[in-house]
Amino acid sequence: MNCNSSQDSLKWQHVLNAMLVEASDGNAYVIACDRAWRWSKCSGLKPGDIFNARRTDKGFVVQFFNAKQEEKEATYAVLQAKSLR
């Protein structure tokens, strides 16, 4: 077998989505995700909307609707947390 190598650079712009969210547990969180590749599920959340989320060892898994009104789910890292009480 003969193999030829080549270099094809794909240019994909990284987008960091960081948001301040207020949770029903009485805390405020700064959450973020990095849209580092083309099929990333990372998305900015709409200000003022209410989202279902659950805490995991990787951060928050948030359910949201995209621009096409399709239900999606993405994981956001927790950068900071503060009690509002």
Side-chain angles (χ1 to χ4, degrees), residues 22-82:
E22 184 178 337
S24 60
D25 65 0
N27 294 318
Y29 298 92
V30 177
I31 61 172
C33 63
D34 183 12
R35 188 175 178 93
W37 50 286
R38 185 175 181 178
W39 295 278
S40 172
K41 295 179 182 178
C42 174
S43 178
L45 302 173
K46 293 179 188 174
D49 278 1
I50 296 173
F51 304 94
N52 289 326
R54 67 182 185 280
R55 188 80 188 246
T56 69
D57 58 340
K58 295 182 181 182
F60 282 118
V61 176
V62 179
Q63 296 173 328
F64 62 93
F65 289 94
N66 66 10
K68 297 178 182 179
Q69 294 304 309
E70 301 167 323
E71 188 172 357
K72 298 292 181 179
E73 189 174 271
T75 302
Y76 297 82
V78 177
L79 304 180
Q80 190 172 11
K82 183 170 179 141

Side-chain angles (χ1 to χ4, degrees), residues 5-16:
S5 63
S6 64
Q7 180 178 355
D8 291 325
S9 297
L10 298 175
K11 294 184 180 189
W12 181 256
Q13 183 178 8
H14 284 253
V15 175
L16 177 65

